[in-house]
Amino acid sequence: MLLGSIFTATLLLPLAVIAGQATRASFGHTADGQEVEIVTLTNSHGMRARVMSYGASVQSLLVPDRNGKLADVVLGYDTLDGYLERRQYFGATVGRYANRIAHGKFTLDGKSYSLSLNDGANSLHGGSKGFDQQVWKVLDVKPGPTPSVTMEYVSPDGDQGYPGNLTVKATYTLSDDNQLKVAYVASTDKPTIVNLSNHTYWNLGGEGSGSVMEQELMIPGDAITPVGDAAAIPTGAITPVAGTPYDFRIAKPIGRDIRDGDSQQLLFGHGYDMNWVLSRKEIESRVVARVEDPHSGRVMTIWSGKPGLQFYSGNFLDGTTVGKDHHIYRQGDAFVLEPQLFPDTPNHPDFGSARLEPGQTYRNTIVYRFGIDQAAKQ
């Protein structure tokens, strides 16, 4: 029996939970017969993460509110069919290159590469069949104080136009202090480019609970990489956020400035959909975002060492998606926060480098820390 919608409703926190549970089960099969597994990680507070091998994706995450009630705070579907029928990156690992590459082209060591185009004239999140649409191999499932699951996908040389055989592992770990960590590592057998991230759609009030516009967001970045038009390709400039709707250095409701008609960037993206500059190079892990839901009291703090953070305010959820428990997802019903390199970095040397050499290891460790603000709005 599949563990489907029973984890999507708001539940009372269990009185007693054995710490460190980790179980695996079948979640269905793809059209070509590949089995998709789902792994459930549970800690002693009743927090539960379900990660499926299709796209190495977060299928659900139960988090307690200030009253101890659990709710699933990520958008998605109750069954595998929803993920197969419509590509929306719900909870997914995105790569080889998260975000956009202009015209699907880049040059490495003097050789030009043409990628799969799936976003108009550009390549987005790895192309027409990125890592989000692959069935990953479940390598290891560990119970214990910090239950975890490790999944692997080997992307062959030439996959979606990228050079090199790339071996990628994603490890999801749930700690007893309500942290969900995803650690991405990758290695290659020839020079290539890599930029991995997680594309979970979050609603700290619970998926299906409505708009996230009152949820308060802090991003410690003092600049953005503006885009030139609705195709969302960076111009190459780096512009300060001070005095603009993009200034989240002090927490504010997501929706406070989202309707500022003087903002060309908001017009291009139909809301927030841009990269914040956190640093100009990769550094030690630090806070890259903090979100608080004033109604439930849930607080999520995100940690990473990557220099950029893509913030997307769910602008293209258009009411045609029926998700978990038959909830309809509409514009602004979720947000996405993706720690990563800057978009189109391979075509903007000033942005840094996405290059990975044989013998090197690519890493992106993202930590989602959950807590409660007891003083939040009742």
Side-chain angles (χ1 to χ4, degrees):
M1 178 178 177
L2 298 181
L3 303 178
S5 60
I6 61 171
F7 285 160
T8 65
T10 300
L11 304 173
L12 289 176
L13 187 67
L15 295 177
V17 176
I18 299 173
Q21 294 185 52
T23 61
R24 62 196 291 183
S26 177
F27 197 56
H29 293 79
T30 62
D32 60 0
Q34 296 182 79
E35 183 180 27
V36 174
E37 293 189 81
I38 194 156
V39 176
T40 303
L41 309 175
T42 309
N43 72 10
S44 65
H45 303 290
M47 185 170 165
R48 296 190 187 99
R50 303 183 77 215
V51 183
M52 64 175 178
S53 59
Y54 185 74
S57 305
V58 179
Q59 190 271 337
S60 70
L61 183 66
L62 292 178
V63 179
D65 69 3
R66 70 165 61 87
N67 298 313
K69 291 184 178 180
L70 293 167
D72 187 353
V73 297
V74 304
L75 273 60
Y77 297 100
D78 289 323
T79 67
L80 178 62
D81 288 346
Y83 297 93
L84 297 178
E85 290 169 2
R86 189 170 182 181
R87 187 185 192 186
Q88 293 176 283
Y89 306 103
F90 284 152
T93 294
V94 286
R96 286 189 192 191
Y97 198 93
N99 221 308
R100 293 172 173 85
I101 294 182
H103 308 296
K105 295 184 182 299
F106 69 95
T107 300
L108 199 63
D109 295 332
K111 182 177 179 179
S112 295
Y113 292 90
S114 296
L115 306 176
S116 168
L117 304 180
N118 63 321
D119 186 48
N122 305 309
S123 184
L124 173 66
H125 295 326
S128 58
K129 193 169 183 181
F131 291 175
D132 60 295
Q133 292 182 303
Q134 304 292 345
V135 177
W136 293 51
K137 180 181 179 181
V138 178
L139 292 181
D140 195 20
V141 177
K142 293 182 178 178
T146 53
S148 67
V149 56
T150 298
M151 300 180 180
E152 180 184 72
Y153 176 66
V154 179
S155 175
D157 186 16
D159 185 12
Q160 305 301 299
Y162 290 91
N165 293 293
L166 189 76
T167 300
V168 184
K169 292 181 181 178
T171 299
Y172 288 88
T173 304
L174 182 63
S175 69
D176 210 38
D177 56 355
N178 287 3
Q179 291 187 145
L180 178 66
K181 179 173 73 174
V182 55
Y184 294 118
V185 297
S187 60
T188 183
D189 63 356
K190 68 168 64 171
T192 190
I193 60 171
V194 184
N195 182 33
L196 306 176
S197 195
N198 183 276
H199 203 283
T200 294
Y201 284 70
W202 301 96
N203 184 331
L204 297 186
E207 66 81 29
S209 65
S211 174
V212 298
M213 292 298 109
E214 292 184 8
Q215 295 180 23
E216 297 182 0
L217 170 65
M218 187 281 294
I219 300 175
D222 60 5
I224 61 169
T225 52
V227 300
D229 55 30
I233 297 297
T235 63
I238 293 178
T239 61
V241 299
T244 75
Y246 328 121
D247 193 348
F248 284 90
R249 291 174 295 176
I250 297 175
K252 66 180 180 181
I254 290 172
R256 175 177 293 177
D257 299 319
I258 202 169
R259 298 185 184 277
D260 185 343
D262 291 328
S263 167
Q264 190 61 60
Q265 298 296 303
L266 290 175
L267 291 170
F268 285 152
H270 300 269
Y272 293 105
D273 189 8
M274 61 198 70
N275 170 66
W276 267 253
V277 177
L278 305 175
S279 63
R280 296 303 301 272
K281 61 181 181 180
E282 297 193 35
I283 60 176
E284 293 297 317
S285 182
R286 78 291 195 206
V287 174
V288 299
R290 183 184 186 276
V291 191
E292 178 181 327
D293 175 32
H295 300 287
S296 70
R298 293 186 186 91
V299 177
M300 178 176 70
T301 306
I302 305 177
W303 292 64
S304 174
K306 291 300 176 184
L309 180 77
Q310 186 79 12
F311 166 44
Y312 168 60
S313 53
N315 315 322
F316 296 100
L317 295 172
D318 60 4
T320 63
T321 297
V322 180
K324 301 171 187 174
D325 277 354
H326 306 288
H327 292 147
I328 294 176
Y329 299 148
R330 300 185 181 277
Q331 187 179 57
D333 280 358
F335 59 86
V336 178
L337 294 163
E338 302 166 89
Q340 57 186 261
L341 301 178
F342 299 169
D344 202 29
T345 284
N347 294 310
H348 296 280
D350 289 346
F351 283 1
S353 175
R355 185 185 182 104
L356 181 67
E357 297 274 5
Q360 295 179 335
T361 301
Y362 167 92
R363 301 181 190 276
N364 186 9
T365 299
I366 307 169
V367 177
Y368 306 96
R369 298 182 178 178
F370 293 90
I372 298 296
D373 183 354
Q374 293 290 353
K377 180 178 177 180
Q378 300 291 332

